[in-house]
Amino acid sequence: MAGEQDLMEKIVSLAKRRGFIYPSSEIYGGINGFWDYGPLGVELKRNIKDAWWNDFVRCPPLGPDGKPIQMVGLDCSIIMNPKVWEASGHVVNFNDPLVDCKQCKARFRADKVFTVIAKEGENVLLSVGVEADAEDPAKQVAAAAANSKTRRRLEDHADRLAWIIFRADKAGEGQVNLCPNDAGPLTDARKFNMMFKTFVGAMEDSSSLAYLRPETAQGIFCNYKNVLDTTRIKVPFGIAQIGKAFRNEINPRNFTFRSREFEQMEIEFFCHESQADQWYKWWRDTRYAWYTGLGLKSSKLRLRDHEKEELAHYARACADVEYEFPFGVSELEGIANRTDFDLKAHQTASGRDMTYFDDETKERFLPYVIEPSGGCDRAALAFLCEAYCEDEAPDENGAMQKRTVLRFHPRLAPIKVAIFPLVKKDGMPERAMEIYSALRVNMTAVYDEKGAVGRRYRRQDEAGTPFCLTVDGQTMQDGTVTIRDRDSMKQDRIPGAPAALLAYIQEHLRQ
């Protein structure tokens, strides 16, 4: 656990140092659960969103019938009529269990707090509260956080220990929940609605109450009929949206993973009930393959089907694409067969007919919905964790030095190519700037002439730049340049004409 924590600290440090992610409002001490994306971070997120939009909206894949699926996009408002959230159930049911420490007054999400007790007979060796997602990680966190003497006793007496682990919202009679901060007693769990409230207009009363949307899906459901009426699209089809959502998380944590403001990439795919199971399996497998195709190829990525007792009351089936972050295994995206629950709820609440009439079969029906719902911020964090690597590379004197490199998939890399003049004389800067000016029209490129070329390579390695071009003395003789590959550090000489360089780089970016 200590090694994983160190890794997460290195990633957070790199993200700040290289301009991927900053704490929001940092000059005023920050604000918990909110983050700002810097110059490299905003490019990374934009590339993730562009890849998603291109792969599923502009150029959607072939469906299970071998034909391209039908897909359109939306961009709905963040604030909607509050009746939307009443109909969807968010006003009543969008709750998390909340507990407070009676001593330090800290506040926690009850389903993420565990009390861990290790006993040998009647002798209690360990009794602490920890934050974790499940019992096994809670046990590991508790043991790792113990002092060295306690850890040795736990190891020496492992075969004789009885472990008692319970979650704060499921504590039995006589069990006392302990605070992760100071082991003080926690209050009983109570419900906490996570929607941010605001007011529309000049008056601040119940008549002007509104909410910042906690998800983008409801805007799609509300516009489902508008899309049908204003396009020639037919069921089955999907509506996609990328947009901000807001949840007043009790205890934001794990860097950007659990934030109060985040960006979602959601699809609501409408189909006939008889085809829903087929489409669900297709979307589940297709969304998983999208992540692997963009570089999450390690054993850390997994696809987990929900057990029956895990399913929401409206869901027929659900699966999570999960990733093993340094802080534990957590959900990247959920794919659910939501049945006709949402359209039926809005049809009942609004009085508007949400059914679809099939001209070919002459059947009128309420479509089922398959929902792949992913987080852009979570995806960015997963790609960042997967890309992070430490190895060794020779410096300008040939001595091996530690190198930090981000091995992003080329489609996601914030910068595609960096252009360097070897030295700032003999016409090299002018030639390098000429190449930079030609390439930047077609891809994200940077020009850098400061410092030794080895240090410039290291800066681009930390940014995840796939290629570096160097203009040197030979360039001025035969027009060739040196191109360096980020991962292998192999250097080749290729023709330096801008058109040839563009073709070379674009070909390798597609690999």
Side-chain angles (χ1 to χ4, degrees), residues 419-420 431-432 435 468-472 474-476 478-484 491-497 501:
I419 298 94
F420 309 147
R431 187 64 175 272
I435 294 173
C468 292
L469 297 176
T470 302
V471 172
D472 53 21
Q474 188 173 339
T475 307
M476 311 312 292
D478 60 14
T480 63
V481 297
T482 298
I483 187 165
R484 174 193 182 263
Q491 298 187 26
D492 294 316
R493 294 206 72 86
I494 62 174
L501 289 174

Side-chain angles (χ1 to χ4, degrees), residues 112 280 284 302-322 329-338 371 373 378:
K112 300 296 181 181
Y280 164 74
R284 179 195 62 188
R302 62 199 67 177
L303 183 63
R304 185 181 69 85
D305 292 310
H306 283 208
E307 300 294 336
K308 188 174 181 179
E309 57 271 16
E310 293 182 87
L311 294 175
H313 65 90
Y314 52 78
R316 176 183 284 186
C318 186
D320 287 341
V321 178
E322 297 179 332
V329 177
S330 293
E331 175 192 347
L332 271 184
E333 176 166 336
I335 302 95
N337 178 349
R338 297 178 64 96
E371 180 190 72
S373 176
R378 291 187 177 188

Side-chain angles (χ1 to χ4, degrees), residues 152-163:
R152 284 196 302 271
R153 294 176 69 187
L154 293 174
E155 293 169 1
D156 294 342
H157 300 262
D159 58 340
R160 300 195 297 272
L161 292 180
W163 290 87

Side-chain angles (χ1 to χ4, degrees), residues 44-333:
L44 174 62
K45 272 189 73 175
R46 171 58 57 193
N47 291 342
I48 292 170
K49 291 186 286 187
D50 284 350
W52 186 89
W53 196 261
N54 184 72
D55 294 347
F56 293 101
V57 182
R58 292 198 182 113
C59 186
L62 303 181
D65 58 359
K67 299 177 181 178
I69 62 172
Q70 298 184 92
M71 200 70 129
V72 296
L74 277 182
D75 186 5
C76 303
S77 63
I78 287 173
I79 296 177
M80 304 174 69
N81 189 311
K83 291 181 180 179
V84 170
W85 308 111
E86 294 174 8
S88 67
H90 283 77
V91 172
V92 175
N93 298 319
F94 196 60
N95 303 305
D96 270 344
L98 170 69
V99 290
D100 296 301
C101 178
K102 295 180 180 180
Q103 291 181 178
C104 71
K105 310 305 180 185
R107 181 163 286 176
F108 303 94
R109 184 170 154 178
D111 59 346
K112 300 296 181 181
V113 172
F114 291 81
T115 297
V116 181
I117 302 170
K119 299 177 67 176
E120 183 182 8
E122 295 300 317
N123 186 26
V124 177
L125 302 184
L126 181 69
S127 180
V128 295
V130 298
E131 290 186 88
D133 292 319
E135 288 189 9
D136 287 343
K139 180 179 176 181
Q140 296 173 13
V141 171
N147 59 45
S148 58
K149 181 179 178 180
T150 301
R151 285 201 303 272
R152 284 196 302 271
R153 294 176 69 187
L154 293 174
E155 293 169 1
D156 294 342
H157 300 262
D159 58 340
R160 300 195 297 272
L161 292 180
W163 290 87
I164 302 171
I165 305 174
F166 52 89
R167 211 168 74 181
D169 60 336
K170 293 186 176 181
E173 186 175 351
Q175 292 180 323
V176 178
N177 294 310
L178 300 180
C179 174
N181 290 349
D182 61 4
L186 299 176
T187 62
D188 293 336
R190 62 192 186 279
K191 291 182 177 181
F192 172 77
N193 192 285
M194 295 192 296
M195 285 199 294
F196 278 101
K197 295 180 180 179
T198 188
F199 296 93
V200 177
M203 301 298 292
E204 293 191 7
D205 55 27
S206 59
S207 65
S208 60
L209 177 65
Y211 303 93
L212 303 186
R213 67 183 180 194
E215 64 179 27
T216 60
Q218 299 306 320
I220 296 177
F221 295 131
C222 289
N223 280 290
Y224 148 80
K225 268 294 196 179
N226 285 334
V227 171
L228 282 176
D229 293 343
T230 56
T231 67
R232 297 180 60 82
I233 206 162
K234 295 182 178 181
V235 170
F237 74 96
I239 302 176
Q241 181 171 203
I242 298 176
K244 291 275 192 177
F246 306 83
R247 296 181 184 178
N248 195 10
E249 294 282 354
I250 295 168
N251 191 18
R253 58 200 177 99
N254 295 332
F255 198 24
T256 59
F257 181 82
R258 191 171 299 283
S259 304
R260 290 178 168 133
E261 177 183 347
F262 52 94
E263 207 158 5
Q264 288 185 306
M265 305 181 295
E266 285 198 312
I267 293 169
E268 306 302 329
F269 192 82
F270 302 91
C271 61
H272 192 278
E273 178 184 358
S274 63
Q275 301 175 327
D277 291 340
Q278 180 188 29
W279 278 111
Y280 164 74
K281 293 175 183 176
W282 182 87
W283 274 111
R284 179 195 62 188
D285 297 340
T286 300
R287 290 301 302 136
Y288 178 81
W290 186 79
Y291 287 101
T292 63
L294 288 175
L296 296 188
K297 295 182 178 179
S298 72
S299 59
K300 294 179 180 179
L301 187 72
R302 62 199 67 177
L303 183 63
R304 185 181 69 85
D305 292 310
H306 283 208
E307 300 294 336
K308 188 174 181 179
E309 57 271 16
E310 293 182 87
L311 294 175
H313 65 90
Y314 52 78
R316 176 183 284 186
C318 186
D320 287 341
V321 178
E322 297 179 332
Y323 183 75
E324 186 181 350
F325 293 93
F327 49 79
V329 177
S330 293
E331 175 192 347
L332 271 184
E333 176 166 336

Side-chain angles (χ1 to χ4, degrees), residues 379-413:
L381 182 57
F383 288 122
L384 192 60
C385 291
E386 183 80 6
Y388 185 90
C389 180
E390 294 177 354
D391 60 14
E392 289 187 336
D395 62 15
E396 54 267 25
N397 299 317
M400 297 303 291
Q401 300 289 338
K402 176 182 170 183
R403 177 179 81 135
T404 299
V405 57
L406 293 178
R407 302 183 189 276
F408 288 123
H409 187 284
R411 284 185 74 187
L412 302 184

